[in-house]
Each structure stands twice: as C-alpha cells, then as structure tokens.
C-alpha cells in the first residue's frame, strides 16, 4: 500500500471528520448524486406540470463534449466538457470547467487545461462531475488530472495527476468517478479501490494499489456502526477504512470489459450493486469483515448510471432501455416501462425525473403501483443523453454528449405553493425567537403533537447540510429559521425559510478555534433584527429578513474579558431597548448595549469572575426587572442600571452553562461535575435572596433543565456521558426518580411530553412528563451529521428541530399532519 501518513496516524485520526462534508443547503445539488449522495433531492416546491413540449428553456449553454452532469451550489451551476473535435489538432483539445449563474445562465468564469477528447466508440470528453465543497470546486479528468479551484473565481488552487503520483493504471475508457470530499480528504476511484488526496493541497494521502480502478464514485457509509467508504472497483466491491483506505471487506464482481460504473447503494447493513454488459445486480449483507450475497439476478443492469433506492424499491434504467422498479428485498421486477434507452434518473418529492437517451424528459410517480407519467417533453436532441438530470432550486438542468445544456424553470407558482396556501390560511407563524424559546425555559406551548412515533421515528420533512461545526440550536421568527456554524475559522449566521431553502447567510467574525472548536451561540431575534455572540466574545446585529449587517462590537476586548477553556457560549438576551452580554471582565461583569446601535448603555462593576458559558434570563419582582445569570456565582443584576443586587457562590468550579429556571419568586440553578443544584428565593423586589434547598443528584452538565407541573427534569453529569435522567420536586428538591438511560443529554418539553436527546448515541426519545418514572414511549436515532450530540432540540410549528454538527434536521411531529 502506498501511504504517506504512517508517521502521523494518531494525529490524523484525531481531526478526521468521518462524514461526507460540503457546503450544501436544502435544494442545492453540490455534487454527484446530490446532497445525500443517493440521487434524491429534498426539494418539494416545484411543479412537474411545467414540463411541456412548447415550454422554452430558461437558458441554454454550450459546455463542450462530455458526460459530466451539473452541480449547483449557492446560486451557481458548475459543469465541464471538452472542446476537442475531429476538425482541430489534438494538441488543442482542452477540458473546460464552467461556472454559470444558476438562474440566468450568465457565464461567471471558466478554467481550461489540455486534455485529449479520447472518443473510444462514443463521443468522448469528460465523465466525472464537479464537486463543490467549502468554497472550492474539485474535478477529475479522464487521464487523472485532479483540480481544485476557487468556487467564486475559478482560480486554480492545486492540480495533481493521480495516475502519476500513484503509478496506477488507467481504465479502458478513462477515469469517471467524481471526487468525494470526506473530512480533510478528496477521494477518487483511482487504483485498486480508491485514492485519497489532501483536499487542501492535493498531496497524496493513501492509495491501496497501482492496479486500475472502477468507474463509479465512492460512497461514504456506516455499516454495522463503522464509518467506511464503499468503492466499486474493476472486479469487486469493497468497504475501506476511512482514514487510510485499508480494506475491511470485499465481494468479487467481475464484468465483461471490467466495467463497474454504477455507485453502490447502502441501506442499513446491506449493499446493492448493479452492472451492465449482461451482468445484473445483487444485494449483499455486510457483517464485520465479511460480505455475503442475499440474492442475485439480471433484473437491473445499470451499465453507467446508478439506480435510486426509494421507499424499499430500486428505480433505475436497465441497459435494455427499460425504466424498471424492483423490490429491494427480493430483486423481483415490480414494473417496467420502455422507451428510455441508456437513460438516467433522480427522485424528488416522490417523483421520478427521468432523462431518456434521446433527450426525452419524463416526470412520473415514484410508486411501486406502476408507471404513472405526470408530464414529459423532448428537451434535447442531436446527441445521446447519458448524463443524469438535476433538479435544484426550482430548475432542472440537463445536457447531451455534444455539449448542449438546458435549464428548465419548474419552480412552483406562488399561488400553488403549499407554503403560500398555509400562509393564506393562518396569520400565525411558528415562533421560537431565542435560546430555549419565548421564556428561555425550554417549554413549548405547542399542542396536537404525536404521543407516539412510528417505529422508525417521525417523518423527516427536510434537512440542511453544510452548516459547519456548531452546537448552536435554532431560533424561529417571521417565517425564517436561524442558526450558526463555524466554517474554516469564521462564524456564519444562517437563515432558512420554512421549506429549508437558504434565505441568506452572513459571516459574523472569528469563532472559537481552540478546545471543541465550533459555534456556540443561538441567535436571538427581536424587533426585526437578529443578534449573535461569537465564541470569542464579539456580538453582531443583522437585519433579520435580509441579513444586512447593522453593527458589531467585541465586548470582551472592550471590557478585558477572560475566556474560559471553551470560549463563550452565551446567547444574547434582549431587555427592552438593551441587549445583554456577559464579558466577565476586569472592567465589567455584565454589559447592556443599545440593541439598535451597539453603544454601551451601562456596564456593571466587575465581580472578578469569568463568564461561565451561561445564557441569562429576565424576571420581574415588585416592579423591578432583574437579570439572572451565572458567572462563577449565581448573580442578580438590576436591568435598568447594571447594579449587582446579589450573588451566591454555587459549587466549586467556574463551569456553569445551565440557564437558570424561575417560577413564583424561586430560582433554580444547577451545574455539572458533581456540583449539583440550588434553589434560592427572591425577596419582594428581587434585591436579595435566601437559599431554600440544595441537591447533589441533578448536576446537569450542559443539557438544560425544564420545570413542568411542579417538577424539574434533566440529566445528571455522573462520569460525563454516563449520567442518569432525574426528576426533582420543585418545592423541596426531593428526588422523584434517578433513571439510567443510555447517557446524559439535553431536553425540551411540549404537550405533556419530554423530548430527550442523549449525547452518547444520538437517540431522541419521547418520554411522558411525570414524577413516577422515566418512561420512553418512542425513540429514534439521529443518523445525519457528525461530532457531539449537544445542540438542544426545538419544538415549533408542529415540527421537531434537531441540529447535529453541520446538519439541521426537521421532523414532522404534528398529530394532524
């Protein structure tokens, strides 16, 4: 094995993100096979009926000879082709990477380099599809030139010929697998199994063998709980250990001409493979280091483009020209429809989008009940169409081998949009405008929610990837959903509409890049603006609807704040005309800024304690508004002038991220690391406190607590991830239960139920809220995203919002939907 990482394995493992990374949002299609690498779009706001014979394309372009399909990311469409022809000298043949404005077709930039046309019994030209990830575009030529370009400008960042650096043999028809970005690696189907380059500089990381590879794109997967790459080589399919490409398992799969071109499809512990030249398909079961065959037949023969798995059925175009539906479990043909030649397809909103070899585009139901066409039109001609069509942001992109590319408008008319209909029917918009909801108590007022989920969990409505590293949860106001993430070293504030389409995103400055690097703060929406605090103490204000920056201020620099080990995790609190921030500095402990301008209204005196990751609350006693938060102590501050009214030293440490809970003159605070909790009572005007009771059982780490009907619910720290789930009586601190369930986590409450999200395995549970016992009614595991399961769940508008790493998932939990 060729491996340049032997000396740095342990360091590399420490930073490798075992997931497919890239900046993509809801309806974008940033790489081959789409956001989830499975040929399925999350898009629902589109109209198949717009595909008509007399409908003119939105725009056209000539992109050169080839079979690369289109990638769409952040308003730009990327593809590439070859300018070669029989009429010009071979030395003048070039591959050209194109970047277009996705809406208008205006060419933004191109990048070209010498590359032969190489038409072996077909048109020749490019085969792989560009991959867009982290503001870069990665491409691969048929002769091994791997390029990395700036996505916005087309400027070359690096270029490496993989065949040269690995010594691998090329395939008969040239390299065809698209680049796959996995953490810090760019993975290619080159050599016997795959090759990985450093995505930052193109240097070789690993390459198992110098034998030829296959034509498919490697697939990132999780089989039997182990992250691995599944790669379809020239004579087998294999699972590879992600960091170094070491082979975990293989299954032999020999075809005529050594062509395995269709990506494997992974579901659970099973792998579906299919090849042309009369070979057929098979369903494999992977157990550890062994793969065994469950069934094999010739009912699906994918010669070039892969099938798509949808609701237990495989949809694909067989090399005999038929669009087929087969049962995944048995391999049985359910139905078949001719007329597509060597075509291809994708799926969106339960519909097949099929492009026939002769340029006929057909939209049909993705249903096992039979072929049911919805619409169709001849959109391309003159050259064969082997490239998969792409739906992204209300537009379908397609091309033929000769280089004709068309963009079709299929955006749903506003009057036909489900979102528009919903808005017409109600004036109430879902609202969760800040950390832990309206009252910062983790309580949702939602009703009519499911009291039991399906076995597989609630239906996922949409997901958005590419949020970067972050533990921020979401805020929701005026039809937009806000969250933060860390991309590179910068913090990014995202705003999505209710259908998961990116409305805008803005950089708000450097984020926390030390221990547990990520964004922490949940945005606060108030009076048409949105506020966010970075892990390094900068606070920024943006116009909520469009994201226009209004002001920014670094209160930690201004007031000589001192960071804790994990930066700043506070979410802004709005009090009347003030935004509250806790620098915990030598010059001030808590600061109030004018929410419209950022100027300092007041700065409390310093109590010589660091900011301790806590987001404050506001209470009112005897006409006095009191800000309550935790530095190293539990502190009460007069909201009008910043006067420190009282403080209570709780626990032995300076790690106090739990937002206090208030009810009827009483304040409960808790901390992890064995510190436990304390209940204090405010006097009539909030100017002093007395301790009512203390408890050692519920020492919540950072998962929050909720108060429901006189009982406090949360999870304890106990050896970190092994904590229990606890219920305390509010009045007395009496332990009602102390229950072991997987591990500690975070929670919220709605409609009689606790929504508990444990951090060890990522299980979300629906638990009855009651002091008698911890009773899990339903549960499911979060499978998307990476890193710690630390972001708190949110329930708003009949939906459950779960943030895990760079992915936001939205589930339908309404009883009536």
């Amino acid at each position: 094995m060729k491996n340049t990482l032997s000396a740095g394995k342990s360091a590399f493992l420490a930073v490798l993100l075992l997931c497919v990374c890239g900046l993509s949002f809801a309806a974008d299609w940033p790489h081959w096979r789409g956001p989830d690498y499975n040929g399925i779009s999350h898009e629902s706001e589109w109209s198949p009926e717009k595909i008509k014979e007399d409908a003119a394309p939105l725009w056209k372009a000539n992109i050169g000879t080839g079979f690369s399909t289109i990638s769409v990311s952040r308003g730009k469409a990327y593809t590439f082709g070859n300018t070669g022809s029989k009429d010009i000298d071979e030395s003048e043949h070039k591959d050209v990477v194109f970047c277009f404005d996705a809406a208008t077709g205006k060419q933004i930039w191109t990048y070209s380099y010498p590359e032969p046309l190489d038409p072996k019994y077909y048109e020749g030209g490019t085969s792989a599809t560009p991959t867009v990830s982290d503001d870069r575009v990665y491409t691969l030529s048929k002769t091994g030139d791997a390029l990395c370009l700036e996505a916005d400008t087309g400027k070359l960042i690096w270029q490496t010929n993989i065949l040269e650096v690995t010594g691998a043999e090329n395939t008969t028809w040239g390299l065809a697998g698209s680049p796959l970005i996995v953490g810090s690696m760019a993975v290619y189907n080159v050599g016997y199994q795959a090759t990985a380059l450093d995505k930052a500089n193109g240097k070789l990381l690993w390459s198992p063998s110098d034998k030829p590879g296959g034509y498919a794109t490697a697939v990132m997967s999780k089989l039997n709980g182990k992250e691995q790459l599944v790669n379809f080589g020239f004579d087998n399919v294999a699972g590879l250990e992600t960091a170094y490409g070491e082979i975990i398992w293989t299954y032999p799969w020999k075809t005529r001409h050594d062509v395995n071109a269709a990506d494997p499809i992974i579901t659970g512990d099973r792998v579906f493979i299919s090849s042309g030249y009369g070979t057929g398909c098979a369903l494999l079961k992977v157990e550890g280091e062994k793969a065994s065959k469950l069934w094999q037949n010739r009912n699906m023969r994918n010669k070039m483009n892969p099938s798509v798995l949808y609701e237990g059925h495989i949809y694909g175009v067989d090399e005999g020209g038929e669009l087929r539906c087969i049962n995944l479990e048995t391999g049985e043909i359910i139905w078949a429809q001719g007329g597509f030649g060597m075509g291809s397809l994708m799926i969106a909103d339960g519909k097949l989008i099929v492009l026939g070899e002769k340029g006929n585009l057909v939209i049909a139901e993705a249903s096992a009940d039979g072929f049911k066409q919805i619409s169709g039109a001849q959109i391309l001609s003159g050259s064969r169409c082997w490239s998969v069509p792409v739906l992204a942001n209300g537009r379908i992109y397609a091309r033929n081998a000769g280089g004709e590319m068309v963009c079709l408008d299929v955006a749903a008319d506003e009057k036909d949009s489900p979102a528009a209909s919903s808005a017409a029917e109600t004036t109430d918009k879902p609202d969760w405008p800040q950390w832990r909801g309206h009252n910062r108590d983790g309580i949702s007022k939602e009703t009519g929610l499911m009291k039991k989920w399906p076995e597989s969990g609630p239906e996922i409505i949409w997901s958005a990837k590419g949020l970067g590293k972050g533990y921020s949860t979401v805020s929701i106001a005026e039809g937009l959903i806000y969250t933060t993430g860390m991309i590179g070293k910068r913090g990014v504030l995202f705003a999505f509409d209710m259908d998961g389409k990116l409305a805008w995103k803005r950089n708000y400055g450097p984020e926390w890049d030390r221990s547990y690097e990520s964004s922490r703060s949940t945005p606060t929406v108030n009076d048409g603006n949105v506020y966010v605090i970075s892990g390094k103490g900068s606070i920024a204000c943006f116009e909520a609807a469009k994201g226009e920056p209004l002001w920014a201020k670094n209160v930690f620099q201004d007031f000589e704040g001192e960071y804790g080990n994990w930066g700043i995790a506070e979410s802004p609190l709005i009090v009347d005309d003030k935004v509250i921030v806790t620098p915990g500095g030598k010059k001030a402990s808590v600061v109030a800024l004018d929410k419209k301008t950022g100027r300092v209204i007041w700065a409390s005196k310093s109590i010589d304690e660091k900011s301790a990751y806590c987001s404050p609350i506001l209470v009112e006693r005897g006409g006095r508004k009191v800000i309550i938060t935790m530095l190293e102590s539990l502190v009460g501050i007069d909201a009008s002038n910043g006067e420190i009214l009282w403080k209570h030293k709780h626990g032995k440490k300076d790690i106090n991220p739990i937002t206090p809970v208030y009810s009827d003159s009483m304040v409960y605070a808790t901390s992890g690391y064995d510190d436990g909790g304390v209940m204090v009572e405010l006097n009539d005007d909030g100017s002093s406190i007395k301790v009512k009771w203390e408890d050692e059982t519920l020492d919540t780490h950072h998962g929050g607590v909720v108060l429901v009907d006189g009982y406090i619910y949360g999870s304890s720290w106990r050896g970190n991830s092994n904590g229990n789930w606890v219920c305390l009586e509010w009045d007395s601190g009496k332990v009602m239960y102390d229950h072991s369930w997987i591990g500690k986590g975070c929670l919220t409450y709605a409609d009689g139920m606790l929504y508990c999200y444990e951090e060890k395995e990522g299980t979300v549970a629906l638990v009855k809220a009651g002091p008698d016992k911890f009773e899990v009614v339903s549960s499911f595991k979060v499978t998307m995203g990476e890193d710690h399961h630390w972001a708190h769940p949110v329930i708003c508008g009949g939906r459950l919002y779960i943030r895990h790493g760079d992915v936001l998932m939205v589930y339908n939990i309404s009883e009536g939907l």
Side-chain angles (χ1 to χ4, degrees), residues 520-563:
R520 282 101 157 92
S521 177
T522 294
T524 297
V525 190
N526 176 268
D527 198 19
N529 293 336
V530 57
Y531 304 83
V532 64
I533 301 174
S534 82
K536 292 189 173 181
S538 295
I539 180 166
C541 173
F542 299 86
E543 190 269 331
K546 301 295 183 182
E548 294 301 320
L550 299 177
W551 58 263
K553 192 175 187 67
N554 193 310
V555 294
F556 272 69
Q557 289 181 0
D558 294 346
F559 294 96
E560 299 182 13
E562 183 181 354
Y563 299 124

Side-chain angles (χ1 to χ4, degrees), residues 1-4 162 165-168 190-192 194-196 204-211 244-245:
M1 173 183 289
K2 296 184 179 181
N3 192 331
T4 65
I162 306 181
V165 299
T166 61
V190 179
Y192 194 65
T195 292
L204 179 65
L205 296 177
W206 51 258
S207 182
S209 169
D210 55 8
K211 294 181 180 178
Y244 307 109

